[in-house]
Amino acid sequence: MLRWKMKLQTNRFVYLLLAAFSASFFLPGEAPAGEAVTLRQALGKALENNHEIIAFRNSLAAQKEDIGIAQSNLMPKLTLEERFLRTNNPTYVFMSKLNQGHFTMQDFDIDTLNDPSPENDFQTSLAVFQPLLAMQASIGIDMSETAYAAKKEEYYRKQEAIALQVAQTYLMVQMAEEYITLAKQGVADASEHLRIARISYKNGLGLYADTLRASTALTEAEQKLVSAEKNLKVSQRSLGLLLGLEQSITTAADTLNITLRDLDYYTGSTEARRDILAMQLHFENTRNNINFNKAAYIPTLGVGSSYQLNDEELPFGSDGESWQVFALFQWELYDGSKRHHEKQKAHYQMAETREQLARLMNAASFQVFESFLGVEEAGKNAELARSALITAEEGQRLVRIRYENSLSPLVDLLDAQVSLDQARTNLLKRQKEQQLTILMLCFESGIILQELGVDAITAENN
């Protein structure tokens, strides 16, 4: 099924401003917009302060800690332990007295050996263990480092996604400001039509009904202006939200200047797209996972030692002391086929990730192709909208002259004015659609930050 991601995102931002012109309320308690910011300034603030990016930054930092956790499996383990024992078990009583250095000849009495009195033993031990051969732990370090590298690529892709939203919203604010200008122009035209209708009626050349129609048209134009002002406030607040602020943001007179290149350039850029690089690293980790499960068949080897104190009365007492040094060789020969199934599972997961990587690369190529055609379509539509505006302006001018000379009814003039308003709005919409489709093309190619002239916040700066 074909994906229409680019068109859906474009229409969402464009038609938000053009819909519901009949709404006539203002936002209560709306904070005044702050100092005007350029697009580059807005992008810089968003990459630093956007809540989604900050959340992802913390997630990346948490992922990095997995490297230290994996490395700790190869580090020496130092353990301090204090244990208390009270027993009349013959073996434990014999052992406790030996460890405490309290064993006497009377303790060899048969009755004492078979039925000893209860004995207390405070045992303090300090032990150290160092793994020497632990293949799974070594591979685990590689896997954690690769997973962190993949997370970094996803972090950069998140910044690109936020940059796209900021640029789109920035254009939305500018469009809202321009639409207010169009709405004011429509009010001015409607006021002029009402003035002409009243003069014609006063001079006996027009009907009173014409003045009512013109007054109604003026009211509708004023309603559109009210909605346009509301939409501007909403879009300014929406931009502030993306910047991690609770206030409205005013845009500067900043234009989006991105040079359009040929299709091959954008298709080639997808190879370095951050989400594709992340998926390639995930695929590499599935290979590491196979090696990890194979390493479960390899024995482990380690060495250690401990120093022990024993006392009958006091914790950490030292009536007796001893030490030991040991080596540990462990080889699990049979585990109910658990390792076999884990290895097979890892093979299937690698095959799954391989297909996901292929799907993502094919989808990226298609998305660039679709976006490139969308840019061409938007450019042609903008030219047609510009031509339509010229003809609508000329048509409205001619109909107004005819009405002023009593050669056409007012309804013709009002219809011509509606066509002119629609042509003005359509040109504005098509121009913004062209800019939005270029932004989407850069995003799908993975070069949006480069084209907008901003640098990503690197993981090392966190």
Side-chain angles (χ1 to χ4, degrees):
M1 184 180 68
L2 293 178
R3 299 176 57 195
W4 299 100
K5 174 181 177 183
M6 183 268 296
K7 291 186 178 179
L8 290 175
Q9 290 197 6
T10 299
N11 290 338
R12 179 179 62 186
F13 284 98
V14 172
Y15 291 108
L16 174 65
L17 301 175
L18 301 177
F21 288 151
S22 60
S24 60
F25 60 92
F26 290 92
L27 291 179
E30 179 69 23
E35 182 181 354
V37 298
T38 65
L39 176 57
R40 182 172 295 184
Q41 289 174 334
L43 291 167
K45 290 179 181 292
L47 295 183
E48 286 283 353
N49 303 320
N50 180 270
H51 294 299
E52 288 188 53
I53 290 181
I54 293 175
F56 210 106
R57 200 175 298 158
N58 286 298
S59 177
L60 179 63
Q63 183 76 50
K64 188 176 183 179
E65 295 303 318
D66 284 342
I67 299 176
I69 294 172
Q71 291 173 339
S72 69
N73 292 324
L74 290 178
M75 301 296 288
K77 304 296 187 296
L78 185 63
T79 306
L80 175 64
E81 180 180 322
E82 177 68 24
R83 181 182 300 176
F84 172 72
L85 173 68
R86 179 174 176 80
T87 181
N88 66 349
N89 181 282
T91 303
Y92 282 104
V93 169
F94 189 89
M95 178 182 64
S96 297
K97 288 185 176 184
L98 279 177
N99 289 336
Q100 295 168 6
H102 295 165
F103 201 85
T104 64
M105 290 298 298
Q106 288 77 11
D107 293 314
F108 280 109
D109 183 76
I110 296 299
D111 293 335
T112 302
L113 288 173
N114 289 330
D115 188 20
S117 300
E119 182 73 20
N120 294 337
D121 183 38
F122 289 94
Q123 177 180 307
T124 305
S125 63
L126 181 64
V128 61
F129 180 78
Q130 173 63 60
L132 297 180
L133 178 63
M135 293 301 299
Q136 282 193 312
S138 300
I139 296 173
I141 295 175
D142 294 336
M143 292 182 67
S144 61
E145 290 175 345
T146 303
Y148 175 65
K151 193 75 172 183
K152 280 202 296 186
E153 298 299 336
E154 293 170 356
Y155 170 61
Y156 293 134
R157 186 59 174 172
K158 170 59 73 173
Q159 293 186 58
E160 292 176 352
I162 295 300
L164 173 65
Q165 293 182 39
V166 170
Q168 288 175 326
T169 308
Y170 193 92
L171 293 178
M172 184 175 72
V173 174
Q174 289 184 330
M175 183 177 180
E177 293 172 345
E178 294 174 27
Y179 187 77
I180 287 180
T181 301
L182 296 183
K184 289 179 178 179
Q185 191 173 357
V187 171
D189 290 342
S191 298
E192 176 64 14
H193 297 161
L194 179 58
R195 186 189 67 82
I196 295 173
R198 284 173 175 171
I199 292 175
S200 297
Y201 173 68
K202 183 178 180 180
N203 294 331
L205 300 176
L207 301 175
Y208 179 68
D210 290 345
T211 63
L212 297 178
R213 291 192 187 98
S215 179
T216 301
L218 175 60
T219 301
E220 292 175 351
E222 291 172 341
Q223 290 175 353
K224 291 180 180 180
L225 178 59
V226 169
S227 297
E229 291 172 341
K230 183 269 295 185
N231 289 332
L232 174 61
K233 292 181 180 181
V234 171
S235 59
Q236 289 175 335
R237 189 62 179 270
S238 176
L239 181 59
L241 181 64
L242 285 172
L243 271 56
L245 305 174
E246 294 184 3
Q247 64 190 52
S248 301
I249 299 297
T250 304
T251 58
D254 200 5
T255 57
L256 184 67
N257 296 317
I258 297 179
T259 303
L260 185 64
R261 299 177 175 86
D262 57 47
L263 178 59
D264 291 338
Y265 172 80
Y266 296 106
T267 302
S269 299
T270 58
E271 296 178 359
R273 224 172 77 166
R274 297 292 189 171
D275 54 342
I276 292 179
L277 295 179
M279 184 59 72
Q280 289 173 342
L281 290 168
H282 286 306
F283 177 66
E284 180 182 337
N285 239 4
T286 59
R287 291 176 173 174
N288 290 334
N289 191 36
I290 292 177
N291 294 331
F292 179 84
N293 285 281
K294 288 180 178 179
Y297 291 93
I298 300 176
T300 60
L301 177 64
V303 295
S305 64
S306 67
Y307 178 71
Q308 181 174 308
L309 300 177
N310 293 85
D311 195 279
E312 184 179 6
E313 298 177 351
L314 298 175
F316 300 98
S318 57
D319 285 350
E321 60 180 70
S322 60
W323 56 269
Q324 57 178 315
V325 177
F326 62 91
L328 174 66
F329 176 84
Q330 187 174 18
W331 193 357
E332 190 172 21
L333 299 178
Y334 182 70
D335 60 355
S337 299
K338 175 186 175 183
R339 288 171 292 182
H340 170 74
H341 292 297
E342 287 178 337
K343 187 176 68 172
Q344 290 300 110
K345 177 182 177 181
H347 279 287
Y348 288 125
Q349 288 175 333
M350 184 181 72
E352 175 191 5
T353 307
R354 183 192 297 114
E355 294 304 318
Q356 290 177 345
L357 176 59
R359 178 199 61 80
L360 182 59
M361 295 179 68
N362 291 338
S365 178
F366 168 75
Q367 290 160 4
V368 168
F369 176 74
E370 183 185 26
S371 299
F372 189 83
L373 293 183
V375 172
E376 292 183 337
E377 176 192 18
K380 293 176 182 178
N381 285 336
E383 289 297 325
L384 293 173
R386 192 172 291 109
S387 299
L389 177 60
I390 294 174
T391 57
E393 288 175 338
E394 180 63 14
Q396 188 261 9
R397 185 185 70 84
L398 294 176
V399 173
R400 187 180 65 182
I401 294 174
R402 288 179 60 83
Y403 175 72
E404 290 174 349
N405 290 280
S406 302
L407 297 176
S408 292
L410 179 65
V411 66
D412 290 347
L413 179 58
L414 295 179
D415 288 343
Q417 183 62 42
V418 170
S419 297
L420 177 58
D421 292 340
Q422 290 177 346
R424 289 169 177 166
T425 302
N426 189 53
L427 176 59
L428 175 60
K429 186 186 81 170
R430 296 303 182 186
Q431 289 174 335
K432 294 304 177 184
E433 277 184 348
Q434 186 177 18
Q435 293 177 319
L436 291 169
T437 53
I438 291 176
L439 283 173
M440 184 59 66
L441 175 60
C442 294
F443 174 74
E444 298 295 0
S445 304
I447 57 173
I448 186 169
L449 293 181
Q450 171 187 334
E451 292 295 330
L452 291 175
V454 295
D455 296 325
I457 306 298
T458 61
E460 287 72 20
N461 290 341
N462 299 333

